[in-house]
Amino acid sequence: MEKTASSRFGHVMNKIQVEAEPGLTNKQLFLTNHDLKPVEPERRLWKHRNFVTFWIADSFNINTWMIAASSLTVGLSWWQAWICVWVGYSIAAFFICLTGRIGAMYHIGFPVVNRASFGIWGSLWPVLNRSVMACIWYGVQSWIGGQCVYLMIAAIWPSFVHSPRMNAPLAMGATVNYMIGFIIFWVCSLPFIWFPPHKIRHLFTFKSIVAPAGGIALFAWAIARAGGVGPIVHQGSTAKGSDLAWGIISGIMSAVSNFATLIVNDPDFARFASRPSAALWPQAITIPMGFGLTSFIGIIAGSSSAVIFPSVGAVWNPLDLLKYFVIGGVDRTSGHGTAGERAGTFFIAFTFVVAQLGTNIAANSISAGTDLTALLPRYINIRRGGYLCAIIGLAICPWQFLTSSSNFTTYLSAYSVFLSSIAGPMIADYYFVRRGYLQIRDLYNAESSGPYWGIYGIQWRGWVAYICGILINVVGFAGAVGTPVPIGATYIYRLNFFSGFIVSAGVYWLLAKISPMPALSPTGKWLEIGDEIRNPSLVYDNDAEADMARARARAGYGSGSEEMGDEQIVEKGDGKSWWKVGKKS
């Protein structure tokens, strides 16, 4: 590794460099470090049960609790809304398994996977998109977690809610008491960012026990207070005809769009799978079940709250429901609940703190850390990226985004357009163009001779497909924010994730047919060899080729002449790109 300079600045820069394999070129140091390289077997610690507990933990969060409410407000009955949730999350699980397969097989994360379809340097834009979104969401989810802390404090000291000093407004809509809760949650989250992803799985195991317990407790409490499940489960749908049809589609899309960020970056977790199957069925089954049951709890609790607080109606936000329990009801703004109600509120609010913490670490901190690592791998690793994400999440003043929740929700859901246009080329490239075949070392190759280089480091096919996937939805997005647009554009936009994904994936596949690219499956058939690669070196011209050769030999491909143990090797191309290997006859 070369020294950047003999100056004091150069000395400091060398000191803050992160761990990387010795012998890499300066170009490669801007493509990889320890956290970006393929995960070696010693760190592949996520087993089937870890993925189950991960998604159980992720499903019990405040956003999931409220997800069915959007369908109920457009006129669907509770059971229709619940079916939409099941269908939507089943579709999301299908996409999760598609992208997760790549990470579980080749043990590489989203930033590296994207280099195959967007180019070595061209992949930085999708990565930047995802990292910016993760930082914003980290701040917003931390603010929501702060509201949970606020309720815990309020359950102990009711004056925390009612005191004029505590309710004093701060800049951009925040109050002193909510700001205190936010800062406490933000600070308490910092130690959990320290742990690497392959070890943080224990947090999700703990959350998968605690968070459902709190959700079920609030579910039972609401039913008991209401003396039943409430009026909403007894009323039918009010929407008819096309309104009903579009209401169903909207309910399904709400669930899919809610998963757009996790769909593209699931390889960041799946790469730690002990085997590819560990990231398949646990995700395919647990996602629709976990999110479906959580949404059901939210529907019933919201319906019961309409009886408990008739002056307000159904309360879909569980934090609002808990707040009403603390203050003794919406009409007793200067009073407080009983000691039992406050104790119950404290316990349930604590479980929601754990739920928000786990969700924030999983969906935002680790994702942002991995993505920021790819933007500057010489100086940023996942740990540093996670702390940088936390700082940005604080600096953006997340409470200002929630002053107008409807606009914030609109813009966030619109972001799925950009993410679906990233997922389209990514999935089409792996499953339909390259047929499961990736040349791992070349994904870290910054030379123009590399098969993933493209033009100036950009794979133009992926970029054209990405732009087409955005354009199909851009007019409808303008309509969503208030600009008059043709009704056809609105209909397309209501299917934003699907329309963006289908167009971008289709365009990418078509361009790959018209203008074939290098590094395709040598057999022309399905060929996955990634799980056979143990700990490949990324240094040019060393024994890493032999490691790849053995892997392809175990895959039973080809024939050759140069002996290596029980396999034979034949060099193809320039000696750096790929090998044709077969078992010794």
Side-chain angles (χ1 to χ4, degrees), residues 278-579:
L280 179 59
W281 293 113
Q283 299 194 109
I285 296 173
T286 309
I287 290 173
M289 287 188 62
F291 284 83
L293 292 176
T294 305
S295 298
F296 175 77
I297 291 174
I299 291 172
I300 300 303
S303 177
S304 300
S305 68
V307 177
I308 303 171
F309 306 115
S311 62
V312 175
V315 181
W316 300 113
N317 188 333
L319 300 184
D320 288 341
L321 185 56
L322 285 174
K323 183 178 179 180
Y324 295 152
F325 286 152
V326 167
I327 65 176
V330 293
D331 298 323
R332 292 170 58 189
T333 55
S334 61
H336 53 81
T338 66
E341 290 173 332
R342 287 159 50 199
T345 297
F346 180 89
F347 167 75
I348 296 172
F350 169 75
T351 65
F352 279 123
V353 167
V354 176
Q356 286 302 113
L357 173 64
T359 298
N360 222 11
I361 295 296
N364 301 315
S365 173
I366 293 177
S367 299
T370 305
D371 295 341
L372 292 170
T373 296
L375 296 178
L376 197 61
R378 193 165 188 168
Y379 301 104
I380 300 178
N381 55 20
I382 290 180
R383 180 178 293 159
R384 293 180 183 179
Y387 284 116
L388 184 59
C389 169
I391 294 171
I392 296 173
L394 175 64
I396 62 173
C397 303
W399 52 89
Q400 67 178 321
F401 291 103
L402 299 175
T403 55
S404 178
S405 59
S406 59
N407 287 339
F408 183 63
T409 302
T410 298
Y411 284 112
L412 285 182
S413 63
Y415 210 82
S416 66
V417 171
F418 298 92
L419 296 176
S420 66
S421 299
I422 294 171
M426 179 175 156
I427 291 175
D429 177 82
Y430 185 79
Y431 288 96
F432 301 108
V433 176
R434 303 190 190 277
R435 298 180 181 272
Y437 177 72
L438 292 175
Q439 297 172 187
I440 291 296
R441 290 185 68 242
D442 284 313
L443 290 171
Y444 301 87
N445 184 353
E447 303 298 326
S448 59
S449 59
Y452 302 113
W453 178 258
I455 302 173
Y456 298 109
I458 298 174
Q459 290 280 10
W460 62 271
R461 301 168 190 82
W463 271 83
V464 170
Y466 170 74
I467 293 171
C468 290
I470 293 174
L471 289 177
I472 192 68
N473 282 303
V474 71
V475 177
F477 170 67
V481 296
T483 304
V485 297
I487 189 63
T490 301
Y491 290 154
I492 292 174
Y493 181 72
R494 289 177 180 175
L495 299 169
N496 51 26
F497 185 89
F498 289 124
S499 54
F501 176 85
I502 292 171
V503 169
S504 61
V507 169
Y508 186 87
W509 177 83
L510 183 62
L511 293 176
K513 285 292 184 181
I514 296 173
S515 177
M517 60 187 72
L520 304 181
S521 171
T523 64
K525 299 178 181 179
W526 187 258
L527 180 64
E528 287 182 317
I529 61 172
D531 200 42
E532 297 293 339
I533 300 173
R534 299 305 176 191
N535 191 10
S537 171
L538 303 177
V539 179
Y540 296 149
D541 299 320
N542 66 2
D543 292 337
E545 287 90 349
D547 191 46
M548 176 68 80
R550 291 189 181 94
R552 297 185 64 182
R554 281 190 287 269
Y557 163 62
S559 61
S561 58
E562 179 184 344
E563 294 188 4
M564 179 171 290
D566 292 331
E567 294 109 13
Q568 298 176 326
I569 306 172
V570 171
E571 182 179 346
K572 291 284 289 186
D574 60 2
K576 297 180 181 178
S577 296
W578 62 280
W579 299 78

Side-chain angles (χ1 to χ4, degrees), residues 123-133 371-372 375 415:
S123 64
L124 294 181
W125 175 252
V127 170
L128 178 63
N129 269 252
R130 179 66 185 93
S131 60
V132 168
M133 198 61 188
D371 295 341
L372 292 170
L375 296 178
Y415 210 82

Side-chain angles (χ1 to χ4, degrees), residues 74-125:
V74 298
L76 270 63
S77 65
W78 76 269
W79 62 267
Q80 290 171 332
W82 195 38
I83 290 176
C84 290
V85 168
W86 276 90
V87 173
Y89 283 115
S90 295
I91 294 171
F94 172 74
F95 282 107
I96 284 282
C97 291
L98 287 180
T99 58
R101 172 74 181 184
I102 310 173
M105 176 56 66
Y106 286 92
H107 303 285
I108 53 178
F110 160 68
V112 179
V113 172
N114 248 19
R115 293 172 184 172
S117 51
F118 284 88
I120 298 297
W121 303 124
S123 64
L124 294 181
W125 175 252

